[in-house]
Amino acid sequence: MGLTKTKEFNKFFSNLVKGVTTLKYSKVPEATIRRLSRYSRCLEEMEQLGENVVSSAQLANRCKVNPAQVRKDLAYFGEFGIRGVGYYVKDLFHDIRRILGLNKEWKMAVIGMGNLGSALLSYKDFLKQHYKIVAAFDINPPKVIGRVSEKLGKPVEVLHINRIKEVAKERKIEIGLIATPPSEAQSVANLLIEAEVRGILNFAPAQIMVPEGFMVKDVFFTTILDNLAYLLSNN
Amino acid sequence: MGLTKTKEFNKFFSNLVKGVTTLKYSKVPEATIRRLSRYSRCLEEMEQLGENVVSSAQLANRCKVNPAQVRKDLAYFGEFGIRGVGYYVKDLFHDIRRILGLNKEWKMAVIGMGNLGSALLSYKDFLKQHYKIVAAFDINPPKVIGRVSEKLGKPVEVLHINRIKEVAKERKIEIGLIATPPSEAQSVANLLIEAEVRGILNFAPAQIMVPEGFMVKDVFFTTILDNLAYLLSNN
């Protein structure tokens, strides 16, 4: 009885401490989110291979991070797995998908139908991960419809950019992918903001300003190259 | 005299401490390198606007980070600027470029001439930042030469992939951009490794393994989208 009470107290105390910890870490590092995305990919592969249970060491090995990192990353979001056993592959996969907000389909639009915009339209990995491009825009749409539909099983009609607001509401678009020249990026972002498209993935090498409540992630190829150049110069 | 000696001692001691600090921080965080790249862009703009001196607060404001972060990032690499004055725009720009390894031109090859590969070939920001694409490869080159040369002032001839090794040595290629389907990414990486191309920027959504001394940076659009989805779900 005494032991049980102590156990209960320990559990209560541990949850209390965890609660405080959760508050303290309410801002989860971006690197953790990036790794969660990687874990989710690895777990998906493992599930497809018919694996049921995985230890943090095995998961870490597969994802090329260290085991302590896996445990630390997951600890931000609560308690997963069973001590001495590991994680159930399927459960952890679904938990991580839920944490990342990927337990739903995200509807996206691509703006700018040059080579990069066309590449995004035919990027198979998006659809595999529940990101669905439901609209495409350009300032000169007739020029590109042919090329795009030729690349896709199910063609997406390219519309004139002045229809963004109307179409975004109609098709419930939540994320806009900006693939225009840098000089046009802010004005396209403004159109997306007006259309209440809250998320922007910006491929145009230009800083974009958005009001509170809107989110921008930049994909600047040159910045990533700079990182690589640094590593090559210093290793 | 006593004061001078104290000053000298202080300088000596400060350099000693700095030496130790440098050793301690020999592994500079990736986020710092990413921000350095951003500072360099901001400083370049400022130089073009004719600005001579900038405080860390002004630089931070322009780059959208906090001033303490700017100072902390730079401190990894030594002492910059003058207390009470700030940084000389031109000097700091060149110092950061040197740190990043960007005081030279990097020669690159693109492998895979689909929409994404073509987009990379005509990506103006690379050339602006001293990254020069000097070769392009595909398994089916004749198909694409036309499209690529049409997009560029100076066309890059697309060669058959089996010529990578020979051409990489001839043209001193140091970075390979993989824009193939994911199923081909590792075998292309193997060719690059054989050709002693030490840096790989991998756009194919597949994990690539390289031996020690080689560097891979992944540009996985879906991982960045996952990050955006998380922010949209939790804000």
Side-chain angles (χ1 to χ4, degrees):
Chain A
M1 277 295 274
L3 187 69
T4 310
K5 269 188 189 159
T6 310
K7 265 192 184 165
E8 270 171 18
F9 174 76
N10 280 348
K11 198 175 168 190
F12 166 78
F13 185 73
S14 144
N15 281 335
L16 193 74
V17 171
K18 212 181 295 160
V20 175
T21 314
T22 308
L23 279 176
K24 187 180 162 199
Y25 286 114
S26 66
K27 184 144 172 45
V28 179
E30 215 181 291
T32 292
I33 302 301
R34 268 202 301 275
R35 279 189 298 267
L36 282 191
S37 162
R38 205 147 133 199
Y39 303 153
S40 122
R41 270 340 103 89
C42 296
L43 288 163
E44 195 174 23
E45 282 170 29
M46 292 172 123
E47 204 192 343
Q48 281 159 2
L49 293 170
E51 294 175 41
N52 284 322
V53 177
V54 64
S55 68
S56 55
Q58 288 166 327
L59 182 58
N61 184 40
R62 189 166 198 122
C63 296
K64 319 229 175 318
V65 299
N66 71 62
Q69 189 69 70
V70 170
R71 288 189 294 268
K72 196 178 160 197
D73 287 336
L74 293 175
Y76 282 115
F77 303 98
E79 215 173 84
F80 300 93
I82 297 148
R83 196 174 290 267
V85 177
Y87 308 102
Y88 288 109
V89 171
K90 202 174 175 175
D91 290 354
L92 187 59
F93 172 67
H94 286 288
D95 284 337
I96 293 180
R97 301 283 293 180
R98 181 184 41 75
I99 290 166
L100 290 173
L102 301 179
N103 49 350
K104 56 165 273 188
E105 186 179 79
W106 290 87
K107 294 196 172 64
M108 313 197 297
V110 178
I111 304 100
M113 282 295 112
N115 275 316
L116 183 57
S118 305
L120 295 173
L121 261 195
S122 52
Y123 193 70
K124 291 187 190 76
D125 203 49
F126 283 160
L127 202 56
K128 221 179 97 189
Q129 303 293 338
H130 307 285
Y131 293 105
K132 195 175 178 186
I133 295 171
V134 296
F137 300 93
D138 198 276
I139 40 164
N140 193 8
K143 185 181 73 178
V144 283
I145 288 180
R147 196 166 79 209
V148 172
S149 35
E150 166 207 326
K151 289 299 287 180
L152 288 171
K154 181 174 161 288
V156 172
E157 191 190 358
V158 180
L159 305 169
H160 193 280
I161 197 157
N162 65 15
R163 292 189 57 197
I164 281 192
K165 200 168 166 180
E166 158 209 348
V167 174
K169 298 215 165 170
E170 218 174 78
R171 303 189 188 172
K172 299 184 168 49
I173 292 167
E174 292 165 289
I175 297 175
L177 278 54
I178 299 183
T180 64
S183 56
E184 308 308 317
Q186 184 66 57
S187 61
V188 166
N190 295 347
L191 290 174
L192 289 169
I193 292 160
E194 231 187 290
E196 289 170 50
V197 175
R198 282 182 62 224
I200 292 176
L201 195 64
N202 174 34
F203 290 84
Q207 291 293 342
I208 284 178
M209 312 281 280
V210 296
E212 211 170 321
F214 290 80
M215 305 286 160
V216 184
K217 282 278 151 194
D218 297 315
V219 191
F220 293 170
F221 300 157
T222 318
T223 303
I224 308 165
L225 264 182
D226 287 355
N227 207 315
L228 189 60
Y230 171 81
L231 290 173
L232 291 173
S233 305
N234 291 281
N235 280 284
Chain B
M1 276 294 273
L3 189 67
T4 311
K5 272 191 187 156
T6 311
K7 264 191 186 164
E8 269 169 18
F9 174 77
N10 281 347
K11 200 177 166 188
F12 167 78
F13 186 73
S14 142
N15 281 336
L16 192 73
V17 171
K18 214 182 294 159
V20 175
T21 314
T22 308
L23 279 177
K24 188 179 160 197
Y25 286 113
S26 65
K27 185 147 173 46
V28 178
E30 214 181 292
T32 291
I33 302 301
R34 268 202 301 274
R35 279 188 299 267
L36 282 190
S37 161
R38 205 147 133 198
Y39 303 153
S40 123
R41 270 340 104 87
C42 295
L43 288 163
E44 194 174 25
E45 283 171 28
M46 292 172 122
E47 204 191 345
Q48 282 159 2
L49 293 169
E51 293 175 43
N52 284 321
V53 177
V54 64
S55 68
S56 54
Q58 288 166 326
L59 182 58
N61 184 38
R62 191 168 195 118
C63 296
K64 318 230 175 320
V65 298
N66 72 61
Q69 188 70 68
V70 170
R71 288 188 296 267
K72 196 179 158 194
D73 286 336
L74 292 175
Y76 282 115
F77 303 96
E79 215 173 86
F80 301 92
I82 297 149
R83 197 175 289 267
V85 176
Y87 309 101
Y88 288 110
V89 172
K90 203 175 174 172
D91 291 353
L92 187 60
F93 173 66
H94 286 288
D95 284 337
I96 292 180
R97 300 284 292 180
R98 180 183 42 73
I99 290 166
L100 289 173
L102 301 179
N103 48 351
K104 60 166 269 186
E105 185 180 78
W106 290 88
K107 294 196 173 63
M108 313 197 297
V110 178
I111 303 99
M113 281 295 114
N115 275 316
L116 183 59
S118 306
L120 295 172
L121 261 195
S122 53
Y123 193 70
K124 292 187 189 76
D125 203 49
F126 283 159
L127 201 56
K128 224 180 94 189
Q129 303 293 336
H130 308 286
Y131 293 105
K132 194 174 178 189
I133 295 171
V134 295
F137 299 93
D138 199 276
I139 40 163
N140 193 7
K143 186 183 74 177
V144 285
I145 289 181
R147 196 166 79 210
V148 171
S149 38
E150 165 205 325
K151 288 301 285 182
L152 289 170
K154 179 172 163 292
V156 172
E157 191 191 358
V158 181
L159 304 168
H160 194 279
I161 197 156
N162 64 17
R163 292 190 57 198
I164 281 191
K165 200 170 165 180
E166 156 209 351
V167 175
K169 297 215 163 168
E170 216 175 81
R171 303 190 189 171
K172 299 183 168 48
I173 292 166
E174 293 166 290
I175 297 175
L177 278 54
I178 299 182
T180 64
S183 56
E184 309 307 317
Q186 183 65 57
S187 60
V188 167
N190 294 347
L191 290 173
L192 289 168
I193 292 160
E194 231 187 290
E196 289 170 50
V197 176
R198 280 182 63 227
I200 292 176
L201 195 63
N202 174 34
F203 290 85
Q207 292 293 341
I208 283 178
M209 312 282 280
V210 295
E212 212 171 320
F214 290 79
M215 305 284 161
V216 184
K217 282 278 151 195
D218 297 314
V219 192
F220 293 170
F221 300 158
T222 319
T223 303
I224 309 165
L225 264 182
D226 287 355
N227 207 316
L228 188 61
Y230 171 80
L231 291 172
L232 291 172
S233 305
N234 292 280
N235 281 283

